């Protein structure tokens, strides 16, 4: 009998499936361990000593430490991860909006600034109305830097 045939008889199909199951459970264990460690550092509500304690517990007694952590604090792990994902999405959306606007502020931002200036009393109601009309027609501060700038040349 050749060596490859002998290996096939020595290592049956059920043993292959059992080995694969153990391998994937081992990988899942490391994924869970890393998620717990990341969650320990992510939690802003926990003090530094508590973080150090949980980290030592998960390193010294990994199976027990991870399972106790998941039982004690697992419910909030998902919430913290979702909160971080929302914050990252909001930062990304803000970046996209600012980039798409080309650095210009929107009409709403301009009107809010004008309203604040009027509330402080720096401009009169008539000046506010004129500036608001300029912003709403698209010829306000978002289009040019100020009243001293030269008018745009006419297209021929």
């Amino acid at each position: 009998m050749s060596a490859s045939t002998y290996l096939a008889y020595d290592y049956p199909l059920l043993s292959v499936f059992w080995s694969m199951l153990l391998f994937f459970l081992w990988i899942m264990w490391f994924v869970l361990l890393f998620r717990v460690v990341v969650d320990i550092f992510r939690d802003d509500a926990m003090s530094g000593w508590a973080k150090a304690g949980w980290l030592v517990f998960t390193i010294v007694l990994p199976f027990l430490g991870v399972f106790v952590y998941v039982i004690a604090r697992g419910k909030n792990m998902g919430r913290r991860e979702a909160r971080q994902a929302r914050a990252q999405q909001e930062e990304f959306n803000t970046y996209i909006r600012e980039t798409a606007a080309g650095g210009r502020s929107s009409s709403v931002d301009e009107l809010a600034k004008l309203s604040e200036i009027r509330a402080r009393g720096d401009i009169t109601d008539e000046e506010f109305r004129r500036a608001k009309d300029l912003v709403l027609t698209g010829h306000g501060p978002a289009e040019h830097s100020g009243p001293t700038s030269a008018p745009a040349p006419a297209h021929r």
Side-chain angles (χ1 to χ4, degrees), residues 81-111:
E81 188 170 346
R83 184 173 51 236
Q84 182 188 18
R86 275 193 303 272
Q88 287 177 340
Q89 185 65 40
E90 288 172 9
E91 289 175 12
F92 179 72
N93 291 342
T94 301
Y95 171 76
I96 294 296
R97 273 190 235 106
E98 290 173 357
T99 304
R104 296 181 296 135
S105 56
S106 68
S107 299
V108 175
D109 294 335
E110 293 290 334
L111 291 174

Side-chain angles (χ1 to χ4, degrees), residues 22-74:
L22 289 178
F23 178 73
F24 285 120
L25 287 175
W26 185 68
I27 297 295
M28 286 175 43
W29 162 250
F30 277 108
V31 169
L32 180 63
L33 177 66
F34 291 133
R35 287 197 59 183
V36 165
V37 170
V38 166
D39 188 65
I40 289 171
F41 288 110
R42 179 186 294 153
D43 190 5
D44 293 333
M46 204 176 352
S47 70
W49 287 107
K51 288 180 183 184
W54 276 113
L55 194 60
V56 167
F57 189 37
T58 57
I59 291 173
V60 172
L61 300 170
F63 288 108
L64 184 62
V66 167
F67 290 133
V68 169
Y69 186 86
V70 168
I71 290 169
R73 302 181 50 90

